[in-house]
Amino acid sequence: MFQQIDLSALADYLIEEVDCSADYEEDCFGLVFREQRLYVERHPAYFRIEHGVSVYELPRH
């Protein structure tokens, strides 16, 4: 079952942890955030996140 995701916390995690990690050098990857499986695409100005049937675009600052 999919739970609601705190998008603000996810955006902070992506910018502070994922963008700086050698584990996520590819521009498309899967990850687990707060026990939720996500598919992420990194674009120059934003992250595109798929969570089940939901799709989010979070800006990269």
Side-chain angles (χ1 to χ4, degrees):
M1 181 59 87
F2 294 107
Q3 298 177 4
Q4 184 145 355
I5 293 179
D6 180 343
L7 295 177
S8 178
L10 176 57
D12 289 343
Y13 176 77
L14 290 171
I15 292 167
E16 295 169 7
E17 302 293 330
V18 172
D19 256 359
C20 301
S21 173
D23 293 335
Y24 299 101
E25 289 181 349
E26 301 296 323
D27 287 333
C28 300
F29 51 88
L31 63 83
V32 176
F33 176 75
R34 297 186 178 173
E35 300 179 6
Q36 297 297 306
R37 183 85 177 138
L38 307 173
Y39 172 74
V40 180
E41 293 178 1
R42 183 181 1 235
H43 295 268
Y46 64 94
F47 291 100
R48 183 181 186 276
I49 297 103
E50 294 180 14
H51 178 239
V53 297
S54 300
V55 176
Y56 307 100
E57 291 185 356
L58 302 177
R60 291 175 71 188
H61 303 266

